[in-house]
Amino acid sequence: MQKYSLAIHGGAGTILRAEMTPEKERAYETALLAAIQEGESVLKSGGSALNAVEAAVVLMENSELFNAGKGSVFTHDGVNEMDAAIMCGETLQAGAVAMVQGVKNPILLARRVLEASEHVFLCGSGATQFAREQGLEEALPDYFFSEFRYQQLLEARAWGRVQLDHSKKYSTVGAVACDRQGNIAAATSTGGLTNKKYGRIGDSPIIGAGTYANNRTCAVSCTGYGEYFIRGVIAYDVSCLMEYKGLSLQEAAEFVIHEKQLALGGDGGLIAVDAKGNIALPFNSAGMYRAWVKAGEEPGVGIYR
Amino acid sequence: MQKYSLAIHGGAGTILRAEMTPEKERAYETALLAAIQEGESVLKSGGSALNAVEAAVVLMENSELFNAGKGSVFTHDGVNEMDAAIMCGETLQAGAVAMVQGVKNPILLARRVLEASEHVFLCGSGATQFAREQGLEEALPDYFFSEFRYQQLLEARAWGRVQLDHSKKYSTVGAVACDRQGNIAAATSTGGLTNKKYGRIGDSPIIGAGTYANNRTCAVSCTGYGEYFIRGVIAYDVSCLMEYKGLSLQEAAEFVIHEKQLALGGDGGLIAVDAKGNIALPFNSAGMYRAWVKAGEEPGVGIYR
């Protein structure tokens, strides 16, 4: 039987050791390890890659540390609007949601779109209505409020700028997994940009850009400057380099992040697995919150380069 | 100097000769020819591919015949929500909008996103606000109302189903062009699905799925069962088959539509050009409204296979 593997990210960007405290580092490492263990427990007991990435992302959505779910940043209008996507590499089925408000776990909504909708991509109040009809847990604005995020908004408003989380940190969360059946899956969830206006949607919920999975090649979840990841169709690019050019997972993922994305001007990173359980975690920014595990091995966790 | 070329589509699907009248055929052919001539006049005078695809799509958005702009179908709530995208193959810059209401020409809004926004993808009321700030022409619900589309909605509501336009016709519009400088561009615009709910977004505004352009490979605009085009990342797939596998435009476009899309279960078609001015117009449905022209040649127009 195939050995399982799992990787997660909690965002990439200008994460500098000088700006961190030992307490903060420990808090992130603890949260990442908890999420990787949550996902691993699904895979260990023979569960699907789809369930594993969902479980890992739910835990990160429930943490205040990451810009997704509970920890989502505020838009210009002072609300939390969240995007998420999930894709199954076995069936190529996908579910994505954007600009969702009041849903505790957007990744569960994306999963319901995958399972119970004839559509792939739902947006705005319509997506929230679908969540309600599907009986998903709602959450009031209080749940998403944090003084830290609110101060970020006030600061961004005062400066009149859209902030990529905070000083070029892209704290999207995501997970990719390969299960014991050799099926792979990817999931991504984000609270978007602090002070964002105009209903901006980034790469996270875009199938092919921020999220993609295909058993023939790889499962990918991205984090970075979303506009560049959309224009580069980054997640699917990794897949095509493997399928059409014969590159390995590691080669394809590194080429896309270190050559193509940098040439375009974008920074960030991605996590990827293939159906043999290989893992790649390239990023071209100063840091990327990440953790990974393979069957029979201890989980690893990293923040800096 | 490079010879220019241009192709447009007005949707694909179950377009059967038996269901058409000579008058209807003539009306579509006249509208398609007017749009191709509008785009060609830009290219003939040395204008950019980006301006040419925009001009051709604007004309189709202004026609009642196509499901885009003025002719957009009604959502479940009886409103017109439109999506559009445009991409420049020279710079890889892109602009996309979704769920836009009250904007006369969504493709002009997508172009403003490309030119004047730091973002790529704007959605919902935020996108409409951006349109207003950019001084784009607005249009009242009256402008979009047609008795024919309203009857389609009532019928779809009575049957309780979402209609892909009408009986599997996907009447998105789109254009791809190669200009005399050898730059290429793609544009797509749609009114979505009759009776659509839950804020569904299709492939048209998704860069990589319904719309993509890259001078190194091709410019593509798709029309078909949107969910399958998203899952297949169709437009970028054509590009990758050319870039990574060395296929010609024709080979790549036909493989994607006739092999990959059919295997996935999706139907529809696409129009594509490369930077040498070659044109491909494959579709796997009964028909696709289309027209095309190359420098020094008479324009062609077609509806059925």
Side-chain angles (χ1 to χ4, degrees):
Chain A
M1 190 172 277
Q2 168 90 34
K3 283 193 170 181
Y4 65 77
S5 65
L6 173 71
I8 61 173
H9 70 75
T14 317
I15 308 167
L16 299 174
R17 219 180 276 268
E19 291 171 4
M20 290 284 268
T21 62
E23 292 71 32
K24 230 171 136 184
E25 279 180 15
R26 258 199 306 277
Y28 275 103
E29 285 170 1
T30 304
L32 289 165
L33 278 173
I36 202 91
Q37 281 159 357
E38 184 83 1
E40 186 184 10
S41 72
V42 173
L43 296 170
K44 199 180 267 180
S45 60
S48 70
L50 205 54
N51 285 340
V53 294
E54 178 185 288
V57 168
V58 162
L59 221 73
M60 287 188 282
E61 283 180 340
N62 292 346
S63 162
E64 276 193 7
L65 291 174
F66 306 105
N67 176 17
K70 182 167 177 54
S72 293
V73 300
F74 287 101
T75 68
H76 182 74
D77 298 326
V79 298
N80 307 100
E81 270 180 2
M82 300 165 287
D83 307 337
I86 191 166
M87 186 161 184
C88 171
E90 184 190 4
T91 62
L92 300 185
Q93 284 185 300
V97 294
M99 298 179 64
V100 169
Q101 293 184 22
V103 173
K104 190 186 172 205
N105 292 107
I107 199 65
L108 295 179
L109 178 54
R111 180 69 185 272
R112 294 312 302 155
V113 173
L114 183 154
E115 301 284 352
S117 162
E118 56 187 330
H119 301 310
V120 167
F121 193 16
L122 305 183
C123 183
S125 59
T128 310
Q129 185 193 334
F130 182 74
R132 207 163 292 142
E133 290 179 18
Q134 291 288 318
L136 284 184
E137 190 172 353
E138 299 178 42
L140 295 172
D142 266 12
Y143 173 76
F144 299 101
F145 185 88
S146 88
E147 190 55 38
F148 171 65
R149 295 297 192 197
Y150 193 65
Q151 288 305 324
Q152 282 186 338
L153 172 63
L154 296 183
E155 208 180 298
R157 272 189 190 157
W159 283 87
R161 66 179 172 189
V162 174
Q163 290 204 326
L164 294 160
D165 186 23
H166 205 59
S167 50
K168 292 204 92 181
K169 258 163 51 190
Y170 317 103
S171 22
T172 302
V173 308
V176 291
C178 172
D179 64 29
R180 285 181 162 166
Q181 285 70 48
N183 292 319
I184 62 178
T188 313
S189 180
T190 186
L193 304 182
T194 297
N195 200 30
K196 87 180 160 88
K197 288 171 73 176
Y198 306 126
R200 178 263 189 187
I201 297 177
D203 63 312
S204 303
I206 309 290
I207 300 302
T211 308
Y212 185 74
N214 186 335
N215 275 5
R216 294 164 55 98
T217 52
C218 57
V220 180
S221 171
C222 299
T223 171
Y225 199 139
E227 278 68 16
Y228 289 90
F229 281 74
I230 293 178
R231 292 164 57 198
V233 200
I234 292 303
Y236 192 56
D237 204 30
V238 177
S239 175
C240 287
L241 281 164
M242 294 177 69
E243 184 167 8
Y244 301 143
K245 224 179 171 178
L247 266 58
S248 72
L249 179 80
Q250 193 73 33
E251 290 167 344
E254 290 193 353
F255 181 74
V256 166
I257 290 299
H258 295 300
E259 306 289 329
K260 294 193 74 169
Q261 224 6 17
L262 274 187
L264 203 58
D267 61 337
L270 62 80
I271 55 172
V273 297
D274 64 19
K276 290 175 196 148
N278 294 307
I279 294 176
L281 310 161
F283 56 99
N284 60 36
S285 47
M288 179 167 80
Y289 296 109
R290 61 201 184 277
W292 61 94
V293 70
K294 290 184 178 189
E297 299 179 13
E298 283 301 300
V301 61
I303 297 178
Y304 313 105
R305 211 189 285 251
Chain B
M1 191 174 275
Q2 169 90 32
K3 284 192 170 182
Y4 65 76
S5 65
L6 174 70
I8 62 172
H9 69 75
T14 316
I15 307 167
L16 299 173
R17 218 180 275 269
E19 291 170 4
M20 289 285 267
T21 61
E23 291 71 32
K24 230 171 135 184
E25 279 180 14
R26 260 198 305 277
Y28 275 104
E29 285 171 1
T30 304
L32 289 165
L33 278 173
I36 202 92
Q37 282 159 356
E38 185 83 1
E40 188 185 7
S41 72
V42 173
L43 297 170
K44 200 180 267 177
S45 61
S48 72
L50 205 54
N51 285 340
V53 295
E54 178 186 288
V57 167
V58 162
L59 221 74
M60 289 189 279
E61 284 180 341
N62 292 346
S63 162
E64 276 194 6
L65 291 173
F66 306 105
N67 176 18
K70 182 167 177 53
S72 292
V73 301
F74 287 103
T75 68
H76 182 74
D77 298 326
V79 297
N80 306 102
E81 269 179 3
M82 301 166 287
D83 307 338
I86 192 165
M87 186 161 183
C88 172
E90 186 190 2
T91 62
L92 301 185
Q93 284 184 300
V97 294
M99 299 180 64
V100 169
Q101 293 184 23
V103 173
K104 190 186 171 205
N105 291 108
I107 198 67
L108 295 180
L109 179 54
R111 180 71 186 272
R112 294 312 302 156
V113 173
L114 183 154
E115 302 285 352
S117 162
E118 57 188 329
H119 302 309
V120 168
F121 193 14
L122 305 183
C123 184
S125 59
T128 310
Q129 186 194 335
F130 182 73
R132 205 163 293 143
E133 291 179 17
Q134 291 288 317
L136 283 183
E137 191 173 350
E138 298 179 43
L140 295 173
D142 266 12
Y143 172 77
F144 299 100
F145 185 87
S146 89
E147 189 56 36
F148 171 64
R149 296 296 192 198
Y150 193 64
Q151 289 304 324
Q152 282 185 339
L153 171 63
L154 296 184
E155 207 180 298
R157 272 191 190 155
W159 284 87
R161 66 178 171 189
V162 174
Q163 290 204 326
L164 293 159
D165 186 22
H166 205 61
S167 52
K168 291 203 95 181
K169 257 161 53 188
Y170 318 102
S171 20
T172 302
V173 307
V176 292
C178 173
D179 64 29
R180 284 180 162 166
Q181 286 70 46
N183 291 319
I184 61 177
T188 313
S189 180
T190 186
L193 305 181
T194 296
N195 200 31
K196 86 180 161 86
K197 288 170 75 175
Y198 305 125
R200 177 261 190 190
I201 297 177
D203 63 312
S204 303
I206 309 291
I207 299 302
T211 307
Y212 186 73
N214 188 335
N215 275 5
R216 294 164 55 99
T217 53
C218 57
V220 180
S221 171
C222 299
T223 170
Y225 199 138
E227 277 69 15
Y228 289 91
F229 281 74
I230 293 177
R231 291 163 57 198
V233 201
I234 292 302
Y236 192 57
D237 204 30
V238 177
S239 176
C240 287
L241 281 163
M242 294 177 69
E243 185 167 7
Y244 302 142
K245 224 179 170 177
L247 266 57
S248 71
L249 179 80
Q250 192 72 35
E251 289 168 344
E254 290 193 352
F255 181 74
V256 166
I257 290 298
H258 295 302
E259 307 287 330
K260 294 192 74 169
Q261 224 5 17
L262 274 185
L264 203 57
D267 60 339
L270 62 82
I271 56 174
V273 297
D274 63 21
K276 290 175 195 148
N278 294 307
I279 294 177
L281 309 160
F283 56 98
N284 60 37
S285 46
M288 179 167 80
Y289 297 109
R290 62 200 184 278
W292 62 95
V293 71
K294 290 185 180 188
E297 298 180 13
E298 283 299 301
V301 60
I303 297 177
Y304 312 106
R305 211 185 283 252

